[in-house]
Amino acid sequence: MSELTALTLAEARDGLKKKSFSAAELTAAHLAAIEQARALNAYVLETPEQAADMAKASDARLAKGEGGPLEGLPIAIKDMFCTQDVRSTACSHILGEFTPPYESTVSGNLWRDGAVMLGKTNCDEFAMGSSNETSYFGPVISPWRRRGSNTPLTPGGSSGGAATAVAANLCLAATGTDTGGSIRQPAAFTGTVGIKPTYGRCSRWGIIAFASSLDQAGPFARTVRDAAILLRSMAGPDAKDTTCVDMPVPDYEVAVGKSVKGLRIGIPKEYRVDGMPAEIDELWQKGQEWLKAAGAELVEVSLPHTKLALPAYYIVAPAEASSNLARYDGVRYGLRVEGRDITGMYEATRAAGFGKEVRRRVMIGTYVLSAGYYDAYYLRAQKVRTLIKRDFEQAFASGIHAMLTPATPSAAFGLGEKGGDPVEMYLNDVFTVTVNMAGLPGISVPAGLDAQGLPLGLQLIGRPFDEETLFSLGEVIEQAAGRFTPDRWW
Ligand code: GLN
């Protein structure tokens, strides 16, 4: 039954409709695969009983010819999403065994459409990281290995568990969150497709907050079409999140396969960064040729404030994080460590509950927001953010439909390889943070392998709320590059 786990989401959907197999069989195959892949540490919580119950209910609906667009399809949920009666921790010790009495809007939308929950996936603590190494539950091991080597590699982060679960066939697709690249970077590292939609496209309600003005949910999948199918269900208006737009959700799947003839694609010259490996540049060139061959027109564009995006992001994101994480005080959620008095209890709880990277962000954030430094850091970073957004607006106003860039400055690195200097880790986000700062949609599509046999991705950046063009262009890259799957060793 293992071949059931290798199906795409679209194939599984069509197979269920044709009654080639049941949702119960499809789910059982995935649960068995998850059990055999525990060495990868992709899931921090498996929910086999819930999965079996949901699959049974799906089969009953399918038998009557009913069911939603995701009926019976097994999906994994990043541990940043609150799931009702199922432990939700953001992979932080401070949330302990926190079990929310409510469901996040996005995961709720998936269950409304018939999806089956397999479990919660591992991620960096509060989604702060690029390698999944800050998780309280330990790192995720990538299903990919360098040719001829057993060195354990990172699947990227923060959604490392989601990316791994999709790449290793431990679910048909998964949800992720992206604040500075946490969907697109792990997608690029694992040969999967990941899209961060426009800010406001998916509700943030019930997603554990990292940096509220940047956080956005999105799908991981093995094909562009599958990502389009999942995003359609995830997205949509929600009165519970005032930043979530009240706009109908297009049928994104229709955009897959649509001609890209005549689209003007911007190539931002500032993304040619110093020290970028030649193979990344070559991949970028290839991507340009593929789009050109499909009838798109390539135009060099300038986004002059690009180099300020990373430093500005590492002020804005920690500032918002320090404020969002103030709620973890030992009173309401998860962990409590007793102290001499209530202040002592707060301090002891936070010291024991937060990991090193989270503490670093809280301290940076508190510092940049403090009286005397606010104007010099936070306010200035916000102004830079406006300039970054304006760069994109000007390029789009000149008739550019989307932009093509590399997704990451390198392929996946080894676990522990970037442990020392936090800035070294932050540099991973150079190509992705601009998109969050500007609130735009960005998709990462697998585009090739590096010299060591590891996947590399290309990023397409779109106009606000024009995810459809990204799916059309993404499919052109997918058709040209092919799909990439790791050899099973686990
Ligand atoms: N790597 C970035 C950070 O650590 C982005 C993380 C994310 O998108 N959640 O902040």
Side-chain angles (χ1 to χ4, degrees):
M1 217 147 65
S2 68
E3 71 276 11
L4 288 182
T5 61
L7 296 173
T8 66
L9 190 76
E11 287 165 352
R13 173 189 64 185
D14 301 344
L16 283 172
K17 274 208 194 99
K18 280 195 289 195
K19 311 247 184 322
S20 309
F21 43 82
S22 68
E25 285 166 337
L26 188 62
T27 300
H30 281 92
L31 292 172
I34 292 170
E35 220 178 289
Q36 285 159 20
R38 295 223 173 99
L40 303 180
N41 204 20
Y43 285 83
V44 292
L45 187 76
E46 297 167 16
T47 54
E49 281 151 34
Q50 190 160 344
D53 286 349
M54 290 172 100
K56 206 169 144 196
S58 285
D59 278 330
R61 282 190 289 269
L62 288 163
K64 286 190 267 172
E66 294 169 3
L70 300 177
E71 199 62 57
L73 301 172
I75 305 284
I77 303 291
K78 187 180 182 182
D79 204 31
M80 293 296 283
F81 293 80
C82 284
T83 39
Q84 190 173 347
D85 301 329
V86 175
R87 192 188 70 191
S88 306
T89 71
C91 292
S92 178
H93 185 35
I94 207 153
L95 274 141
E97 291 296 312
F98 175 61
T99 302
Y102 46 81
E103 186 79 38
S104 83
T105 299
V106 163
S107 52
N109 288 348
L110 298 181
W111 316 143
R112 171 204 67 203
D113 284 356
V116 169
M117 175 161 83
L118 292 168
K120 305 295 288 283
T121 60
N122 204 345
C123 60
D124 280 296
E125 184 179 3
F126 285 107
M128 297 175 192
S130 305
S131 64
N132 217 116
E133 289 168 290
T134 73
S135 168
Y136 177 64
F137 298 99
V140 178
I141 317 292
S142 175
W144 287 89
R145 285 174 163 178
R146 292 178 184 129
R147 218 170 270 130
S149 153
N150 288 344
T151 307
L153 303 179
T154 176
S158 66
S159 315
T164 295
V166 172
N169 295 352
L170 311 179
C171 60
L172 290 172
T175 65
T177 60
D178 189 314
T179 305
S182 278
I183 290 175
R184 291 158 289 154
Q185 183 254 23
F189 279 9
T190 56
T192 57
V193 178
I195 176 165
K196 180 202 89 74
T198 313
Y199 185 80
R201 188 66 280 191
C202 290
S203 169
R204 288 181 298 107
W205 194 83
I207 297 175
I208 297 169
F210 165 8
S212 308
S213 77
L214 300 158
D215 296 345
Q216 189 57 204
F220 278 92
R222 291 195 283 271
T223 65
V224 172
R225 176 179 300 276
D226 288 1
I229 294 169
L230 199 63
L231 181 60
R232 187 188 184 192
S233 288
M234 291 171 73
D238 180 15
K240 289 190 273 195
D241 172 5
T242 52
T243 64
C244 184
V245 296
D246 189 8
M247 266 166 61
V249 183
D251 183 352
Y252 293 123
E253 202 181 349
V254 172
V256 180
K258 212 177 130 200
S259 166
V260 301
K261 217 178 221 124
L263 290 183
R264 286 165 62 85
I265 310 302
I267 307 298
K269 62 173 190 227
E270 290 79 6
Y271 281 59
R272 224 162 268 131
V273 296
D274 286 345
M276 189 162 85
E279 53 192 0
I280 300 284
D281 201 39
E282 282 157 26
L283 186 84
W284 195 10
Q285 297 290 341
K286 250 198 226 161
Q288 297 176 37
E289 281 156 28
W290 292 331
L291 295 182
K292 207 157 136 193
E297 189 190 330
L298 300 170
V299 188
E300 187 176 87
V301 295
S302 174
L303 302 170
H305 297 93
T306 298
K307 63 177 180 303
L308 302 177
L310 203 62
Y313 169 84
Y314 277 99
I315 290 174
V316 173
E320 294 186 22
S322 73
S323 164
N324 273 327
L325 269 52
R327 76 190 71 179
Y328 304 106
D329 55 6
V331 176
R332 279 167 296 178
Y333 312 93
L335 184 74
R336 175 180 299 179
V337 180
E338 295 303 339
R340 234 179 338 153
D341 52 16
I342 188 152
T343 311
M345 188 277 284
Y346 293 158
E347 288 172 358
T349 300
R350 289 171 68 83
F354 289 142
K356 198 168 147 202
E357 183 60 26
V358 173
R359 289 202 298 272
R360 180 176 8 250
R361 307 265 181 133
V362 168
M363 284 190 280
I364 294 172
T366 308
Y367 179 79
V368 300
L369 289 174
S370 61
Y373 294 104
Y374 182 90
D375 289 359
Y377 292 105
Y378 183 70
L379 209 60
R380 190 170 294 183
Q382 290 288 34
K383 286 180 183 164
V384 169
R385 184 175 184 177
T386 304
L387 295 173
I388 292 164
K389 190 161 176 271
R390 195 175 300 159
D391 284 353
F392 280 104
E393 281 165 1
Q394 279 167 355
F396 288 132
S398 76
I400 298 296
H401 296 97
M403 302 194 196
L404 179 75
T405 77
T408 57
S410 73
F413 44 92
L415 291 172
E417 246 171 54
K418 285 190 203 285
D421 181 358
V423 175
E424 207 192 337
M425 191 67 84
Y426 299 168
L427 285 171
N428 244 280
D429 307 327
V430 286
F431 299 136
T432 48
V433 290
T434 50
V435 175
N436 302 74
M437 292 293 265
L440 300 171
I443 191 170
S444 174
V445 182
L449 299 176
D450 78 348
Q452 309 191 82
L454 298 180
L456 294 171
L458 286 172
Q459 173 177 240
L460 290 153
I461 304 170
R463 293 175 171 182
F465 299 102
D466 187 15
E467 285 81 8
E468 287 156 290
T469 296
L470 299 187
F471 287 125
S472 304
L473 291 163
E475 212 244 357
V476 169
I477 292 177
E478 182 177 80
Q479 290 296 322
R483 278 174 56 195
F484 305 91
T485 34
D487 293 330
R488 188 164 161 192
W489 53 264
W490 57 90

